[in-house]
Amino acid sequence: LRIELVEGVHIADIGFGSTTLTAPLRLFDEAPQQTPHGLFRVVKKGEEYEEQAEFDGEWQPQYRFALQEYYRQDYESLNWYRATHPKSPFVNILQVARALPEKRLGLRDNQYAIRYLDGRSEKTVLETPHEIMDVLANDFEIKLPEPLAGLESALSRIMRDSAS
């Protein structure tokens, strides 16, 4: 999302997984920018821009974007594909992320990670659908659907597929 502020042009992206931005970034400034959850920068790469995050002293690309105008039909077709195509990761992978003041939480299928602002991290493999549901409900504060049988069945399938 491009934001025009008195201070200049910024970008914001609140939907990009476990390293989602927690503060807007100046768009036309390649210098590192401090956010509540670490250093980020936006680097021009030809006609595109690349958002990068700093991890353990190294810059890692997060995604690229261009400044061309997009129209509603562009978003509709891309969203439809991502939500329905059998090979779309959004159909086949459980992905949940949450940024808290002191840490970031990330869940991908049954792999649960907590990354603290001081650099520590914890990784856990959740062994059962009930463990996943517990993390979703308690750590991510997601209200789970009732009855849980359908969710439990879907999580069992995800766990089987990720193990193979």
Side-chain angles (χ1 to χ4, degrees), residues 11 41 70 72 80 89 102 109 115 118 123 126 142 150:
I11 62 164
R41 67 182 181 186
Y70 286 92
R72 182 178 184 94
W80 177 84
E102 70 284 353
D109 292 335
R115 197 171 45 213
D118 65 8
K123 295 184 180 183
L126 304 175
I142 295 174

Side-chain angles (χ1 to χ4, degrees), residues 9 30-31 36 38-39 50 59 65 67 84 89 91 100 104 111 114-115 118 122 150:
V9 180
E30 292 192 5
L39 286 174
E50 183 175 87
W59 290 101
F65 61 94
L67 299 180
T84 61
V91 172
L100 296 167
R104 288 183 183 269
Q111 309 290 314
I114 302 171
R115 197 171 45 213
D118 65 8
E122 299 172 8

Side-chain angles (χ1 to χ4, degrees), residues 33 55 68 94 108-109 143 154:
Q33 301 177 51
F55 293 106
Q68 71 211 40
L94 174 63
R108 183 178 172 97
D109 292 335
K143 185 173 192 252

Side-chain angles (χ1 to χ4, degrees), residues 107 109-112 124-128 131-132 135 159:
L107 178 64
D109 292 335
N110 67 332
Q111 309 290 314
Y112 182 39
T124 307
V125 176
L126 304 175
E127 302 290 340
T128 67
E131 287 181 313
I132 296 173
V135 166
M159 292 178 75

